[in-house]
Amino acid sequence: MKFHEIEISAKEEQNILEALHSGHITGRGKFTIAVEEKLKSKLKVPCVYMTTSGTHALEMAVRLAGVKEGDEVLLPSYTFPSTANAVLLTGAKPVLVPVEPDTLSISSEIISAYITPSTKAVIAVHYAGVCHDIDKVAEVCERSGIVLIEDAAQAYGSIYKGKALGTFGTFGCLSFHGTKNDVSGEGGALILSERGCSYQAQAERLLEKGTDRMAFLRGDQATYEWTGPGSSYVPSDILMALLSAQLDTFEDRLLKRRSIIKAYTHAFEPLCSSKVGMFTGFHRAFDAPSCTEKTPLLESRSNGHIFYVCFESPQAGMRFKRHMDWLNIPVRRHFVPLHISEMGQKLGYGKMDFPFESDIFERLYRLPVHTRLSEEDVSQIIEASLESIQYALEA
């Protein structure tokens, strides 16, 4: 059993071969355009640009927001380094903020407390495909004249109050890395919401090496040339051929992931209510009714990206993992909070600046969630987890 496995069908292979035989294996080919159209339709947004990674989508968003040296950008300490690196590369200062404990994401109250005259943007990270009150965060940012960027790398397919995560801010950033629900090996997407449409020309120039090549490809002009600063963020059409097939079966994988989350939740909920020294997270953040039915994605629904258990002490967590390893069931920890990392300390943060984030890092363990797991696998994981939890709490 593996912690993560990708699901590949004959369609993915067929698309990749088609891209290879077409002779167009660079960017902006048939499959890239197809993927962008599928995402625009699914997300209900006017503009989506495919990128070489979710990291590059973040870098584009921060640059498009006009972030520069002397500016500050608010972002959670409990996130992947790419979120902060996108800010550092502009010369601006990443200002770390705490997360809301139940969802491990930022809230409007937190953001309001950290905004200063130097705040140029906020990057809201939707950990595990979950948010707290991103609609209110967007309102705070709009009132304050601050650009909201959503790091929705883990959130494709998650819905909050009937709207896709990644579409509340001016910019949204998705990842299709090989560890995500839908994959292209490496790859990402930059979302421009309705309020982000005015950045379209800048985004196209930045995407295509500082040129107006996209206008040329549309047939709007006879040549293209250097028109401003930019880089090369365009993915190969081979990667997009893979992703195009993945997106076509997105709903099926979503339902399977939710059924796994539902099984885990059902198994661990009694432990939470009986206060045996641990609690489970993630499933509490979003309601997930009718997990086995193909119903419209309304209100607030997660994409089933992550399920974790969180212990009351680091020692219990370590004992849990040790016993799971002995049972050959893979479990994983997650982000080292930025403030306790080597780079975070270079930026002046101390290990106890965000005590909850430091603590949760020591106590959180993720269980396998992927569509290659059989019902027997899920049952085995649950049985092993319950045994390991008991071992952890009795040792």
Side-chain angles (χ1 to χ4, degrees), residues 210-225:
T211 72
D212 53 1
R213 183 171 182 264
M214 287 187 66
F216 165 74
L217 292 175
R218 287 193 296 267
D220 297 342
Q221 53 201 53
T223 61
Y224 68 93
E225 61 185 74

Side-chain angles (χ1 to χ4, degrees), residues 129-195:
V130 166
C131 71
H132 182 64
D133 61 352
I134 189 63
D135 54 338
K136 293 180 181 178
V137 171
E139 291 172 5
V140 169
C141 289
E142 189 168 9
R143 286 198 305 269
S144 304
I146 294 168
V147 178
L148 174 58
I149 300 167
E150 291 178 76
D151 181 343
Q154 299 179 7
Y156 176 64
S158 290
I159 305 295
Y160 182 72
K161 294 185 177 179
K163 189 174 179 180
L165 291 187
T167 67
F168 286 84
T170 300
F171 306 107
C173 305
L174 302 178
S175 172
F176 298 102
H177 183 269
T179 59
K180 298 302 190 292
N181 296 16
D182 301 270
V183 304
S184 57
E186 297 281 353
L190 174 69
I191 301 166
L192 303 188
S193 68
E194 292 289 348
R195 63 170 59 90

Side-chain angles (χ1 to χ4, degrees), residues 37-89:
E37 290 301 318
K38 289 174 183 179
L39 290 175
K40 284 193 292 184
S41 175
K42 175 67 70 175
L43 299 170
K44 298 180 173 57
V45 292
C47 297
V48 174
Y49 296 109
M50 303 314 297
T51 61
T52 37
S53 65
T55 298
H56 279 165
L58 280 167
E59 291 176 14
M60 288 185 67
V62 171
R63 291 180 65 176
L64 290 169
V67 175
K68 60 186 183 304
E69 188 173 355
D71 291 333
E72 296 179 350
V73 178
L74 306 185
L75 56 103
S77 178
Y78 195 68
T79 186
F80 192 69
S82 293
T83 315
N85 279 333
V87 178
L88 285 177
L89 289 172

Side-chain angles (χ1 to χ4, degrees), residues 190-238:
L190 174 69
I191 301 166
L192 303 188
S193 68
E194 292 289 348
R195 63 170 59 90
C197 278
S198 59
Y199 295 89
Q200 185 171 353
Q202 292 172 258
E204 292 184 353
R205 180 176 64 224
L206 188 58
L207 186 77
E208 277 283 6
K209 310 166 188 70
T211 72
D212 53 1
R213 183 171 182 264
M214 287 187 66
F216 165 74
L217 292 175
R218 287 193 296 267
D220 297 342
Q221 53 201 53
T223 61
Y224 68 93
E225 61 185 74
W226 185 26
T227 60
S231 189
S232 183
Y233 295 121
V234 181
S236 163
D237 217 44
I238 296 176

